[in-house]
Amino acid sequence: MEITDVRIRKCKDKAKLKAYASVTFDDSFVVHSVGVIEGSSGLFVVMPSRKVGENEFKNIAHPIVTSFREKMSKAVLDAYEKVKDTED
């Protein structure tokens, strides 16, 4: 499975949430609402989730293979780096 497109939507006025990404796989399947978060040790990627309790969230979709998670995170963060300083 190859990542064929990553589209970034920057978030304004959000302290830690920097952007949302839509990631397309094999020009056939897309996952929306992949988040780019600014953490204490830098940027990281979070998968789309839904609220299931008072303070609990559950991922809707996520990679199950570590190497693919790393590949996807790199693609999203690389795409974010290209647009982070641009005007909307």
Side-chain angles (χ1 to χ4, degrees), residues 29-57:
F29 185 81
V30 66
V31 176
H32 298 289
S33 300
V34 175
V36 177
I37 305 289
E38 179 76 52
S40 58
S41 59
L43 295 172
F44 64 96
V45 172
V46 294
M47 297 297 115
S49 61
R50 63 183 172 94
K51 194 170 185 175
V52 294
E54 185 69 27
N55 292 313
E56 187 179 353
F57 291 85

Side-chain angles (χ1 to χ4, degrees), residues 65-84:
V65 177
T66 302
S67 60
F68 190 78
R69 175 182 291 275
E70 291 167 354
K71 180 179 179 178
M72 185 174 145
S73 291
K74 182 177 180 348
V76 169
L77 293 175
D78 287 350
Y80 174 72
E81 287 296 326
K82 289 179 184 177
V83 301
K84 73 176 185 178

